[in-house]
Amino acid sequence: MPHDPIELRGKARDSGRMIVLNRSTSNIEHAVFSSIADYFRPGDLLVLNDSYMLSNTLWFQHGGESLQITVYGHEPDGTTIVELKLSEDQCEAGQVLTSLDDARITCTLLEHQPDKLWKAQFNPSELLLPTLDQYGARLDETIHLNPVHWKSTPEAYRSLYAKKPGSLEIPSAGLHFSHELLAQISAMGVEIAYITLHVGATEIFAVRHISEEEIEKHKVRSEYYEVSQRTAGQLNKARAEGRRVVAVGTTVMRTLETITREMGRQTIIKPQYGWTDLYIYPGFKFNAVDVLLTNLHRPRSSHIVLTAAFAGTDFVMRSYDEISEKGGYEFDMFGDFSLLHIGNSSPLLPQGRFADPQRGQIEALRNFTITSYNMRA
């Protein structure tokens, strides 16, 4: 699991490896990401997330000492999920801490949460993101970003098309696209659309790692999304014309499946914004997405479960076996890529086309580990 984006390791953005799963033929190919245009068709609608990641840690006064508070995500009720670099017995609900970066900002601890997290209230809330952007550092649980690179080359940590600050973890799938590759894809007749989902606490290891014995009991936290009038129109037109909708990343997948959840394939999508806590696992009926592009994920994560729901658990596990046998693949947010599709020209198929016999697939996922890689499973 690399600690730096690929271009900070002296390689081109689009030079990573890619595994391609075609559900309709049960075929698995090993390729490089720069060849991904070969798998698109004229008329495809490529949907990208234009959010980018901010710093997540500020310093606050705690008695006579300074205290690091790491911001992991926002909640629909206006509160924030944070981690404090203190033992639990040194904190209590009702404490009010003052920012050492901007004395106008206070953080009130409201309620202790699972996984050593707290629900907190920042006031004034509108100052939080600008202060993170100006003064913040990044603290990450398992992949520790180089602080010098993060401050000197922040653009390496965001997609080339990202324009909206707000994510507290990285929307990583789009990192692979270069300007040249996007131009090539566009020139062949692929249409491009944008949604915004600001990645939050769903991405931290304690939340995306599934510790429950029964994976369907796992919960993800809410994240804010926006779908513009232009994007809604593009989606409706593509769906009406039977063109494929291609989601770049699990953030796009969860947004599109959220907004079509109630009405299915016949939904007329309206411009909207809101919060999603959609957790996708085998048995889920997909209404919006026909092709998924995503990173290679850790075992027992909500991401690998989503991937298995989309492409089929046995098929995904077989592909990871091949990855393990071949060696050299890189995992997680700065790693390699997988392209999952069914190889069918029309998305207007029965809604359950990706759904496996639910119980057997969930049992298989419970035991899914990859022993060839040093991952926390």
Side-chain angles (χ1 to χ4, degrees), residues 54-209:
L54 296 169
S55 295
N56 65 351
T57 301
L58 295 171
W59 284 259
F60 285 75
Q61 189 72 39
H62 182 264
E65 300 179 348
S66 61
L67 166 66
Q68 287 181 331
I69 295 182
T70 299
V71 180
Y72 280 130
H74 304 292
E75 297 283 279
D77 62 3
T79 60
T80 302
I81 302 300
V82 303
E83 181 182 19
L84 281 63
K85 302 303 179 184
L86 283 176
S87 60
E88 292 181 21
D89 59 3
Q90 292 179 282
C91 307
E92 60 182 27
Q95 276 186 293
V96 180
L97 309 172
T98 301
S99 171
L100 294 173
D101 299 297
D102 186 332
R104 295 174 295 172
I105 300 177
T106 62
C107 175
T108 303
L109 304 183
L110 300 177
E111 182 184 359
H112 189 258
Q113 301 283 293
D115 305 315
K116 299 181 180 180
L117 302 174
W118 280 84
K119 179 176 282 193
Q121 180 75 59
F122 288 91
N123 286 301
S125 59
E126 63 270 15
L127 291 181
L128 178 59
L129 292 186
T131 306
L132 283 169
D133 198 24
Q134 184 173 359
Y135 299 108
R138 274 216 64 88
L139 290 183
D140 296 276
E141 303 167 292
T142 55
I143 295 183
H144 304 292
L145 275 59
N146 183 308
V148 175
H149 290 165
W150 171 248
K151 285 296 185 182
S152 64
T153 323
E155 63 275 8
Y157 296 85
R158 63 185 67 159
S159 303
L160 294 174
Y161 49 80
K163 58 185 178 182
K164 295 183 180 178
S167 285
L168 293 162
E169 296 290 334
I170 191 167
S172 56
L175 293 177
H176 298 266
F177 286 96
S178 64
H179 287 299
E180 294 78 13
L181 191 53
L182 285 169
Q184 179 187 357
I185 292 169
S186 185
M188 64 180 288
V190 173
E191 187 180 3
I192 297 177
Y194 301 93
I195 60 93
T196 301
L197 183 138
H198 293 314
V199 182
T202 289
E203 280 294 313
I204 62 176
F205 184 81
V207 176
R208 63 174 165 153
H209 179 75

Side-chain angles (χ1 to χ4, degrees), residues 307-355:
T307 302
F310 188 74
T313 301
D314 292 341
F315 195 27
V316 169
M317 291 176 72
R318 178 158 67 89
S319 74
Y320 274 68
D321 284 341
E322 286 196 16
I323 288 169
S324 179
E325 291 170 5
K326 285 183 174 291
Y329 274 89
E330 297 176 338
F331 278 71
D332 222 16
M333 57 185 170
F334 301 135
D336 292 317
F337 214 71
S338 59
L339 169 63
L340 314 170
H341 68 113
I342 60 167
N344 202 305
S345 61
S346 173
L348 299 177
L349 298 172
Q351 292 183 9
R353 67 184 186 275
F354 295 119

Side-chain angles (χ1 to χ4, degrees), residues 239 257 260-261 263-265 284-289 351:
R239 288 155 62 87
E257 294 300 334
T260 57
R261 191 83 175 106
M263 298 286 291
R265 281 278 167 183
F284 183 86
K285 293 184 178 181
F286 291 87
N287 294 317
V289 174
Q351 292 183 9

